[in-house]
Amino acid sequence: MDRQSAAYEAALMHYVQGETMETIARRLMVSRSTVSRLIKSAREKGLVQITLHPPEESSSNLGVWISQYFKIKAHVVPVPFKSNEERRLNAVAQMAGTLISDLMEPNTIIGVAWGNTVAAIANHLSPRPAAGSVVVQLNGAANPSTTGIPYAGSIMEAFGRAHGSTVQHFSVPAFFDYAETREALWRERSIAAVRDLQMRADVAVFGVGSLTGQNVSLVYSGGYLSPEELMGIEEEGVVGDVCTVLFREDGSWRDLEINSRASGPTPDELVNIPRRLCVVSGVDKIIATLAALRAGVVTDLIIDENSAARLRDVALRQANTMPRKPAQ
């Protein structure tokens, strides 16, 4: 029996037949540690696919409230009390990785926006081969000091490996210096072909960038915007972004000059993608998350329990002073 067949047999006995490691080891005539390695290999090669389907009545009250209030599907991830930010992010990323793999069917096109949260998700994807699938980068990553290719490229390649997908990079600046440059480049056939693929995506995966709080997101701290631009967007009331398209707290975005130079899909474009997974970890991102929800770009929100509680509290406090979905 070759190693892959042995891995399959071990996984079958463990997950389906419920046999112990010792029993499997005796049946395969190997050591217990070998059985453990075989089962791990089966998971890594996609021979085992674990999915979670909680019954509706077991969903947390927070998840139900957020789902009903914002008319989305909320996945609230319980995190042990006093968990640090890294553990919180890993828990949320693991849930997101499972949900994403569940959505990866043959010929699926998945659009992925780079960022620290999505980078964490890339480390927690459950292998699930999806023949003919494509991973397409949703926003450019270059800035005045770097091409962004190693960072964004590693995220896209991880998504591609997990699902056997073709990877399409988007090698343009995160923000153009001039709107006219972006307009001209968008007319180039090679770039237009990538943008067409983005617009045909079945699933989009993105985090939320935050301009407020102690942990300012990479878009605002990594040299993508000049000090003058940062000062300008703060004066304009910007609180964060999705796919490098910036929002105010009320979800408005159209009249922000910087968005005429942003490389990511606008909310008007993003809403044409059927499933849009927004992944959030940390209370510093709540104001920006509210902006994204008010802009209507989210269908599925994956969020840690503490942040979900803060999201509900802030939304309720603001309910009497700010319309939920303002006219833009």
Side-chain angles (χ1 to χ4, degrees):
M1 182 184 298
D2 61 38
R3 185 172 178 80
Q4 184 161 322
S5 297
Y8 175 79
E9 290 294 331
L12 179 67
M13 286 187 276
H14 181 63
Y15 289 108
V16 178
Q17 299 171 2
E19 296 191 20
T20 65
M21 295 284 189
E22 289 77 7
T23 302
I24 298 169
R26 286 197 298 270
R27 291 185 61 177
L28 296 181
M29 293 184 292
V30 297
S31 68
R32 189 182 184 283
S33 60
T34 297
V35 172
S36 179
R37 288 194 294 270
L38 287 171
I39 292 173
K40 180 181 178 182
S41 174
R43 291 197 303 268
E44 291 174 345
K45 292 181 181 299
L47 301 177
V48 175
Q49 298 172 10
I50 300 173
T51 60
L52 299 174
H53 299 284
E56 188 64 28
E57 62 270 19
S58 72
S59 297
S60 72
N61 291 335
L62 279 172
V64 172
W65 188 91
I66 292 170
S67 296
Q68 294 176 347
Y69 189 80
F70 292 105
K71 296 180 172 56
I72 61 169
K73 176 62 177 177
H75 309 265
V76 176
V77 182
V79 180
F81 183 63
K82 291 186 178 179
S83 292
N84 61 28
E85 290 301 317
E86 182 178 2
R87 188 172 181 182
R88 194 181 308 280
L89 174 58
N90 282 335
V92 171
Q94 190 166 15
M95 170 65 82
T98 300
L99 293 173
I100 291 164
S101 293
D102 280 352
L103 294 172
M104 291 301 295
E105 301 291 342
N107 302 312
T108 297
I109 301 174
I110 180 169
V112 178
W114 57 265
N116 290 335
T117 301
V118 179
I121 296 169
N123 293 326
H124 291 282
L125 294 167
S126 301
R128 179 178 182 175
S133 60
V134 179
V135 176
V136 59
Q137 183 177 331
L138 286 178
N139 53 328
N143 66 32
S145 61
T146 176
T147 65
I149 292 173
Y151 174 66
S154 65
I155 296 172
M156 304 306 143
E157 294 296 336
F159 273 79
R161 284 193 302 273
H163 308 299
S165 309
T166 300
V167 176
Q168 178 60 68
H169 299 284
F170 193 40
S171 301
V172 301
F175 296 96
F176 289 86
D177 290 334
Y178 305 99
E180 296 83 359
T181 306
R182 189 189 76 166
E183 291 171 7
L185 194 58
W186 274 192
R187 292 195 294 269
E188 291 290 330
R189 285 179 295 174
S190 59
I191 299 299
V194 179
R195 283 181 41 77
D196 176 68
L197 191 61
Q198 293 170 349
M199 295 305 102
R200 291 190 288 113
D202 304 291
V203 180
V205 179
F206 49 86
V208 173
S210 176
L211 184 60
T212 62
Q214 294 182 344
N215 299 309
V216 175
S217 296
L218 185 62
V219 168
Y220 311 105
S221 63
Y224 291 92
L225 297 170
S226 69
E228 293 77 17
E229 287 171 326
L230 288 170
M231 185 180 299
I233 63 174
E234 286 186 26
E235 291 174 352
E236 290 264 29
V238 168
V239 296
D241 73 281
V242 165
C243 303
T244 62
V245 174
L246 279 58
F247 299 96
R248 297 187 185 90
E249 190 170 353
D250 63 1
S252 60
W253 58 273
R254 286 193 178 90
D255 61 335
L256 293 169
E257 183 275 336
I258 189 105
N259 285 337
S260 67
R261 300 187 280 115
S263 60
T266 68
D268 289 341
E269 294 169 330
L270 203 54
V271 296
N272 291 317
I273 298 175
R275 295 292 295 275
R276 305 180 298 279
L277 278 64
C278 177
V279 187
V280 176
S281 173
V283 295
D284 280 351
K285 295 189 175 183
I286 292 310
I287 299 301
T289 301
L290 272 169
L293 289 166
R294 288 165 176 151
V297 298
V298 179
T299 62
D300 296 71
L301 178 66
I302 302 97
I303 186 170
D304 69 271
E305 195 168 17
N306 285 6
S307 300
R310 182 72 62 86
L311 177 68
R312 179 192 58 190
D313 294 345
V314 173
L316 285 173
R317 282 203 307 269
Q318 295 180 349
N320 295 326
T321 60
M322 183 182 293
R324 200 182 312 167
K325 291 187 177 180
Q328 296 184 26

